[in-house]
Amino acid sequence: MTAVFKKLNTAFGRIFSDQQKTISYRSQHPFWVIVQKEVMDHINSWRFVILLLLMLLTAVASLYTAMSSLQSAITEDTSTPFVFLKLFTATDGTLPPFITFISLLGPIIGIALGFDAVNSERNRGTLSRLLAQPIPRDYIINAKLVASLLVVTIMVATLGMLMMGLGILLTGIPPMPEEFWRVFFFLLVSIVYIGVWLNLAIMFSVKFKQSATSALSSLAVWLFFSMFFSMIINVIVVATIPAHIAGTDQIIGYQSFVQNLLRISPSQLFSEATTTLLVPTVRTLGPITVEQAYGAIAGPLPLGQSLLLVWSQLTCLLAVAFIIFGLSYVMFMKQEVRSRS
Amino acid sequence: MAKEKIIKLDGLTKKYGQLTAVDQLTLSIQRGEIFGLLGPNGAGKTTTILMLLGLSEPTSGKAEVCGVDPTFQPLLVKEKVGYLPDEVGFYENLSGLDNLLYTAALNGVDSSVAEERAKLLLEQVDLTSRAYDKVQTYSRGMKQRLGLADILIKEPEVIVLDEPTSGIDPEGVRELLALIKQLSQERNMTVLLSSHHLYQVQQICDRVGLFVEGKLIAVGPIKELGYNLFKSDPIRLEVEVEPIDEQLISAIEANQYVTRVDYSQKRLLISCQQHIGAEIAGIITKHGARLTHLSQHDYGLDEIYHRYFEEGR
């Protein structure tokens, strides 16, 4: 009797307490060991839960605003057959649509996942212990980036699928293959965009010893681009506007000058890329003359053409991400390792 | 049996701009030896250790650990050397065992072997009962012991401990040092430890090296060090007198065998070439002071250290 009781007890003990549990690493390779550990850390952390809740809220809110305006959006605009995509872009004016939400939330996700990547290890005193193991030094920073990107990918993919799934349930309209691919590329661009901010945050986490400082500086850069940057551009526009009413060429030249200035901001690149991808009727991102538009057949662009239109935006975003990561890589490799200082 | 030199340093120098942190360090350590690097904070102990592990590049000079140059092949060195940094840190949200398993995985230890080995090590450092608790619940001494298990999991030939006893209570220090000694004997492991706690190092080190401002000013067993250093005045007398004044001190200093007199808290420390206790007592009574205590004083590491430190300046 007691034996049975004992057995039951241990069995229940195993179920109800997480004692006796150890982490087993799937890979033999140290790089993937670090990646697994980092992903685990992210997923077990409160910040991941908070970010997930934020994303869930985003999905619900943007679906709500899309649903309440979908009817009018369809009746107003009959030029496009892509009704499903409107779920991501339509708004009734009370709440921003999904793409705006992402361009707002994306940086937060990136910064939240990266701002203490390196300096927290340093402050906990684990960095010097880690560096004393027989692994190349760059494994640490590379693995951290890969792990955070994996987490971002999971988050964005989840969010995208959630939006699509709920959209299908609520509207009863299934997406066409082209719509699916457009959403797919949109999510891909979103990951790259979040990656830019993630890299920026990682760079600051290498640079600054205090996590608070690196978080603040990442947020400062984000605030600069989301608020002050357009103001500065406005000032420049007012100062440099041609005095006389000039010829068409000059006006177009000036217009593209201003647009290129705006494109310094990653969020501008992102919004141009995503708008083009999700609104197939967008045919050009620059100024267009009546002569150019004359004779054009009104209708949506095919996916290939839309992609071609935003190719440079996508390349720029990727380039920015790579440059920032390169900087943090060099900084990390050159940094003197002392415990906790 | 000629003893194998497992760590060889030759003219190792590290400069940070104008500052020379380590200056022309030449030193060799034999296999199985417990070597203590002694010196005040900022003497260049940690810098030396970092260069040994290939975590920092020497400005000039050469190091060799287990037959490998750590500057060019740091990974090979790190496979064979376990390094316990000053104020070691762990992932606080993981259990002690999980922390060990992570290190094991990074060292390419197969997961089936790793768990067994980790548990054995935890037993050796007396943490078995806390193996599944999160590290954030551990005390300082427990973390230090976990650190010891952590560097042993890769089965190193050499372990390097940077200030292993800092911030631990005396009893914990005693246990930790005994553990280090025991482990090094069991595994024939070379131990290099740095410290500024002289007496602690005295307890377990076969040899010590004294470090002051980047220079290694003496190497050897502690007794030898003392003998060499105090050749000129091998005897030291400790005298308690009341009252002490300038005249008394100068009267003692006038004796031909006395080399120096130090004064601290009602005590006189008299360094002299011969045992002249009787003469000193005579001088004191003649001076009209009351002698309450007179004894011969052995040179501890403290004095050695102090003396060297003064000279280093």
Side-chain angles (χ1 to χ4, degrees), chain A residues 20 22-23 25 28 33-34 37 121 124-126 128-135 336-340, chain B residues 16 47 50 56 75 78-79 85-91 97-98 102-103 106-107 110 115 132 150 154:
Chain A
Q20 317 296 319
T22 56
I23 299 162
Y25 294 95
Q28 280 283 316
V33 170
I34 307 179
K37 150 104 183 18
E121 295 262 3
R124 278 181 298 188
T126 46
S128 48
R129 205 163 55 85
L130 211 52
L131 287 171
Q133 310 307 330
I135 46 167
E336 181 81 4
V337 189
R338 295 261 170 181
S339 48
R340 306 201 191 196
Chain B
Y16 292 105
T47 311
L50 291 181
S56 182
L75 293 192
K78 286 176 195 169
E79 271 173 25
D86 181 17
E87 291 185 51
V88 63
F90 289 96
Y91 298 103
L97 184 58
D98 276 336
Y102 184 48
T103 310
L106 289 179
N107 278 281
D110 195 75
E115 191 158 342
Y132 295 95
D150 183 67
K154 64 168 107 165

Side-chain angles (χ1 to χ4, degrees), chain A residues 224-237 262:
Chain A
F224 172 79
F225 278 120
S226 55
M227 287 177 68
F228 301 109
F229 187 70
S230 56
M231 284 187 219
I232 293 170
I233 296 297
N234 268 337
V235 172
I236 295 174
V237 167
L262 279 171

Side-chain angles (χ1 to χ4, degrees), chain A residues 7-22:
Chain A
K7 254 185 196 168
L8 269 177
N9 205 15
T10 47
F12 274 108
R14 273 202 199 124
I15 294 166
F16 288 117
S17 78
D18 56 355
Q19 289 222 333
Q20 317 296 319
K21 234 177 13 189
T22 56

Side-chain angles (χ1 to χ4, degrees), chain A residues 144-175:
Chain A
K144 277 182 180 288
L145 176 70
V146 169
S148 303
L149 273 181
L150 270 176
V151 172
V152 167
T153 309
I154 294 167
M155 276 186 171
V156 170
T158 313
L159 188 60
M161 298 299 155
L162 197 69
M163 280 293 286
M164 288 213 263
L166 283 176
I168 295 171
L169 275 181
L170 290 175
T171 60
I173 312 166

Side-chain angles (χ1 to χ4, degrees), chain B residues 2-53:
Chain B
K3 282 199 177 162
E4 183 195 350
K5 285 183 177 133
I6 198 156
I7 297 178
K8 277 192 276 187
L9 307 179
D10 187 19
L12 205 63
T13 304
K14 175 78 183 179
K15 284 182 183 162
Y16 292 105
Q18 291 288 313
L19 182 86
T20 307
V22 177
D23 195 2
Q24 291 290 328
L25 176 63
T26 302
L27 174 73
S28 55
I29 297 172
Q30 284 152 0
R31 187 181 284 276
E33 194 174 26
I34 302 185
F35 190 91
L37 268 184
L38 273 180
N41 296 333
K45 291 170 296 182
T46 304
T47 311
T48 307
I49 289 173
L50 291 181
M51 285 192 283
L52 279 181
L53 287 159

